[in-house]
């Protein structure tokens, strides 16, 4: 049985960095760098998810706009069709989605509100913990 997103958030915390759509790519890149994170959520009216902007989008903006990328609003580069999940989703489901759809961040919503973010790093960390626990159980079983 794969662990739930709720259990993962209980362990890692529920902080999510959000910005407005009028922030520039340069400012958003600074935020990603300062906070040592890979993506931010762009929120619109009433805090609803309007998009996601990740380090990959910095590269896209540079490729499309050259040096002007830095002053381009994130709104023109962010991904608006954001895949999100709720706390009942499982680590295995997110692993599958991240692998098939080739992104590394999934925002978590509860009652339409942003309540957390799961990154591929969180999923991998969780999987390593599961494998270590399984190995410990097997060792204890063999020894016992
Ligand atoms: P990432 O691998 O998360 O850095 O993102 C790669 C690309 O997918 C970027 O263009 C992101 O804007 C986009 N992306 C990241 N997370 C999601 C998501 N949950 N739903 C849709 N697109 C996403």
């Amino acid at each position: 049985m794969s662990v739930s997103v709720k259990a993962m958030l209980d362990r890692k915390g529920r902080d999510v960095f959000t910005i407005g759509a009028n922030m520039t790519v340069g400012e958003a890149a600074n935020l990603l760098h300062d906070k040592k994170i890979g993506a931010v959520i762009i929120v619109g009216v009433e805090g609803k998810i309007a998009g996601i902007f990740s380090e990959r989008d910095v590269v896209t903006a540079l490729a499309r706009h050259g040096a002007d990328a830095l002053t381009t609003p994130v709104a023109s580069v962010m991904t608006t069709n954001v895949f999100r999940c709720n706390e009942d989703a499982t680590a295995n489901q997110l692993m599958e989605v991240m692998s098939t759809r080739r992104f590394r961040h999934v925002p978590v919503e509860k009652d339409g509100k942003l309540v957390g973010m799961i990154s591929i790093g969180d999923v991998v960390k969780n999987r390593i913990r599961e494998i270590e626990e399984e190995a410990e159980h097997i060792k204890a079983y063999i020894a016992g």
Side-chain angles (χ1 to χ4, degrees), residues 19-36:
I19 59 173
N22 57 352
M23 196 177 241
T24 64
V25 168
E27 288 165 340
N30 264 325
L31 182 71
L32 296 181
H33 172 72
D34 285 347
K35 305 296 178 193
K36 297 186 171 52

Side-chain angles (χ1 to χ4, degrees), residues 58-106:
V58 178
V59 174
T60 302
L62 280 169
R64 276 196 206 145
H65 304 284
D68 291 340
L70 295 182
T71 50
T72 302
V74 278
S76 65
V77 197
M78 68 186 186
T79 303
T80 50
N81 183 18
V82 181
F83 178 89
R84 66 283 300 270
C85 71
N86 61 38
E87 291 187 312
D88 298 331
T90 66
N92 281 358
Q93 286 169 344
L94 294 197
M95 207 164 11
E96 173 77 24
V97 165
M98 287 177 179
S99 145
T100 55
R101 297 186 55 174
R102 294 175 186 279
F103 48 64
R104 295 166 291 181
H105 301 88
V106 175

